[in-house]
Amino acid sequence: MVVHMLQHDVEMDYALKILEKAKVEYGDVRFVGRKSERISTKNGVPAISISDSIGVGIRVLVNGAWGFASTNDTSKKGIKRIAELAVRTAKASALTTKEKVVLSPEEPAIDKYESTVKKDPWNVSTEERVNYLIDCEKRMRISDRIKLTMGHSEVWEENKLFGSTEGARISQRFVETGGGIAAIAIETGEMQTRSYPTSFGGDYRQGGHEFFEGLKLLENAERVGKEAEQLLHASQCPSEVTTIIISSDQMVLQVHESCGHPSELDRVFGYEASYAGTSFMTPEKLNKFRYGSDLVNIVGDATAPGGLGTFGYDDEGVKAQQFHIIKNGIISGYLSSRETAAKLGQRSTGAMRADNYNRMPIIRMTNINLLPGNWKFEELIKDTKKGIYVETNKSWSIDDRRLNFQFGTEIGYRIENGEMKEMLKNCVYTGITYEFWRSCDAICSEEYWHLWGLRNCGKGEPGQVMRVGHGTSPTRFNNVRVGVGKW
């Protein structure tokens, strides 16, 4: 059981006194405790992963350079050792630093944040969760063509205590739940996958067991199995340039890869070039470059209720905020840290997050949301003379500047004269980011808008995995190349 971080105030005071005595320019201390239970079932066989960790990370700025050290020994002896190591590391780094780090100003906060939980997920037994997923699998197996069925469920909790030499003291508690199911149909060399509520493990949200119950996996399991089987004999996606309507769950990847990542200011400045790439959203384009049509408004929103990118404060103590990245189609902001924001003469937008106590915070997505438009989905289909509708991500690829992309989806449907026609398989579409978003001419309303949770955004060296959110609704684009590839 994770110990609530507020019980580490004495150790926090001790760590900060060491940093003050060392006369660091800036220092912050993060005590982080995590526990999780991840259940996966595959053809009725469960695999259960339980983890529990606690530790402290200390980051300091000395002579204009960063130093960081961490330990799972939260005793005063352990804290003293890593505080001194962080200071020595910063001093050594300063010897080779070409440009001294300058931080944007920030008022130190003393505050708390806690996820809203109605049904404590830890009160639901592992056995109950396993049995539920196996029941879902049974319903997906509608025929012998369904060769593989899978179920996923996770409960994740993090408690965090942050303090800085500027006087900040912030306690936060996050609880997340969610899950998903998938069926794979195979016949004579053909393999098709169908997932619910979305692919790669499902959908996740801050909250309690009430969110998992609301997914209604069991109620959708038979349909998932049927669609996987139907895809085996569905029509091949045509190869053409056409209008495309993208579902809310597929729009998640579209926003994530073609707007979220390129708006990370460390990537813009080239700090991530060797591993994750850079960005075409360079600073001279700020408030000038047309990224999309006038309809396109994308915000970074760490205040959205229940998102995996929602928090009270980031890992530099910057308060959660909502701001435009794209406003009426124009590049208008970046995901930033105190260090990178200062280089633009701005305040941080609060995007510094660390994957546990033993990693330095880096710029990560919060909830990157495409704001809803005015269309009803049914009216959008009726308004489309010719095109395709695609749903649920199957594959993705995008270049290291986030310009040229290609995404595949699990399922699609041909649209003709305002009606949804036959099912399509192997739907793939491609484009250049800003050309694609400039062709956006319709976004569905808030009624169809959903805040999705992704648990697996990778970045950094050493690698860090972050949990992020994306709010989207079905969206239409014109003159899109579809049907690339051969089957």
Side-chain angles (χ1 to χ4, degrees), residues 342-385:
K343 292 170 71 72
L344 293 182
Q346 298 181 349
R347 300 285 291 267
S348 169
T349 52
M352 284 290 269
R353 306 170 72 192
D355 179 8
N356 219 334
Y357 69 88
N358 55 358
R359 294 288 184 269
M360 279 188 74
I362 57 177
I363 295 175
R364 305 309 301 261
M365 291 180 226
T366 55
N367 304 299
I368 309 304
N369 302 334
L370 173 65
L371 298 185
N374 299 317
W375 286 77
K376 287 185 176 297
F377 181 73
E378 297 77 9
E379 293 175 352
L380 187 59
I381 297 297
K382 287 181 181 178
D383 187 68
T384 303
K385 186 174 182 180

Side-chain angles (χ1 to χ4, degrees), residues 259 262-265 268 281 285-287 298 323-327 330-336 344 346 349:
C259 184
S263 68
E264 295 164 345
L265 200 47
V268 171
M281 291 172 61
K285 296 185 175 73
L286 185 63
N287 297 319
I298 299 176
F323 64 97
H324 273 87
I325 296 172
I326 307 296
K327 187 173 185 179
I330 304 296
I331 295 176
S332 300
Y334 293 104
L335 293 159
S336 67
L344 293 182
Q346 298 181 349
T349 52

Side-chain angles (χ1 to χ4, degrees), residues 61-323:
L61 189 60
V62 179
N63 299 332
W66 289 114
F68 176 78
S70 65
T71 179
N72 59 4
D73 178 2
T74 57
S75 69
K76 287 187 175 179
K77 181 180 178 182
I79 291 169
K80 184 174 188 296
R81 181 178 64 80
I82 64 162
E84 292 173 348
L85 178 58
V87 171
R88 290 200 304 274
T89 302
K91 288 180 177 177
S93 297
L95 298 175
T96 59
T97 297
K98 295 179 180 178
E99 183 179 2
K100 290 188 176 183
V101 173
V102 175
L103 300 181
S104 63
E106 196 64 36
E107 288 296 321
I110 299 175
D111 207 349
K112 297 178 181 178
Y113 169 86
E114 189 165 0
S115 301
T116 300
V117 175
K118 294 179 180 176
K119 294 184 179 180
D120 188 345
W122 298 112
N123 289 338
V124 181
S125 71
T126 302
E127 182 181 20
E128 180 179 338
R129 275 199 277 267
V130 168
N131 289 337
Y132 181 82
L133 294 177
I134 290 176
D135 286 344
C136 290
E137 287 200 54
K138 290 177 180 175
R139 288 201 185 184
M140 285 189 284
R141 289 183 168 272
I142 58 161
S143 77
D144 291 340
R145 296 184 183 89
I146 304 299
K147 301 297 186 184
L148 180 62
T149 53
M150 294 172 283
H152 304 279
S153 168
E154 184 182 27
V155 179
W156 185 90
E157 179 174 345
E158 181 179 84
N159 290 282
K160 188 183 301 184
L161 178 64
F162 173 90
S164 76
T165 53
E166 294 175 335
R169 184 71 61 99
I170 301 161
S171 176
Q172 301 188 87
R173 177 175 183 256
F174 307 91
V175 178
E176 298 173 2
T177 60
I181 55 176
I184 296 178
I186 300 175
E187 185 181 62
T188 59
E190 178 87 20
M191 184 178 79
Q192 294 293 335
T193 303
R194 193 70 183 111
S195 308
Y196 175 83
T198 192
S199 50
F200 303 109
D203 189 20
Y204 295 80
R205 188 80 65 85
Q206 280 189 37
H209 190 62
E210 69 278 1
F211 177 73
F212 182 82
E213 290 177 325
L215 293 173
K216 299 187 182 304
L217 303 181
L218 195 60
E219 291 86 338
N220 285 277
E222 184 176 345
R223 175 184 60 80
V224 170
K226 286 181 178 177
E227 289 182 352
E229 185 179 51
Q230 290 166 359
L231 279 165
L232 291 173
H233 302 287
S235 300
Q236 181 71 31
C237 178
S239 179
E240 60 185 358
V241 175
T242 189
T243 296
I244 183 171
I245 297 175
I246 302 177
S247 68
S248 173
D249 70 333
Q250 173 61 22
M251 282 302 297
V252 167
L253 259 293
Q254 193 68 55
V255 170
H256 183 95
E257 302 292 354
S258 67
C259 184
H261 277 310
S263 68
E264 295 164 345
L265 200 47
D266 55 350
R267 188 187 294 261
V268 171
F269 286 140
Y271 300 165
E272 287 286 319
S274 64
Y275 180 59
T278 60
S279 170
F280 75 96
M281 291 172 61
T282 44
E284 76 278 4
K285 296 185 175 73
L286 185 63
N287 297 319
K288 298 175 182 174
F289 187 81
R290 178 157 290 283
Y291 173 95
S293 71
D294 288 342
L295 297 177
V296 177
N297 286 283
I298 299 176
V299 298
D301 187 1
T303 69
L308 297 198
T310 301
F311 46 77
Y313 296 82
D314 76 354
D315 286 334
E316 287 190 315
V318 178
K319 191 173 178 58
Q321 52 198 277
Q322 186 203 72
F323 64 97

Side-chain angles (χ1 to χ4, degrees), residues 413-472:
Y413 293 90
R414 186 171 64 85
I415 302 170
E416 185 177 288
N417 295 324
E419 293 184 358
M420 203 100 83
K421 300 291 186 179
E422 76 271 17
M423 181 184 289
L424 301 175
K425 63 182 176 182
N426 303 326
C427 296
V428 177
Y429 64 97
T430 185
I432 302 296
T433 295
Y434 57 83
E435 293 177 352
F436 180 81
W437 283 99
R438 288 174 185 176
S439 77
C440 173
D441 74 342
I443 304 172
C444 284
S445 66
E446 195 164 2
E447 179 183 356
Y448 306 90
W449 193 88
H450 181 80
L451 181 55
W452 299 86
L454 272 66
R455 304 170 298 161
N456 58 348
C457 177
K459 184 180 175 183
E461 291 180 290
Q464 300 192 37
V465 177
M466 189 51 61
R467 308 165 82 90
V468 305
H470 297 293
T472 57

Side-chain angles (χ1 to χ4, degrees), residues 30-70:
R30 283 180 298 111
F31 287 88
V32 181
R34 278 186 181 179
K35 64 175 180 177
S36 68
E37 181 182 80
R38 180 175 291 194
I39 300 172
S40 296
T41 59
K42 187 175 181 180
N43 284 352
V45 178
I48 303 167
S49 173
I50 298 173
S51 65
D52 195 339
S53 67
I54 190 167
V56 54
I58 295 179
R59 186 180 69 148
V60 299
L61 189 60
V62 179
N63 299 332
W66 289 114
F68 176 78
S70 65

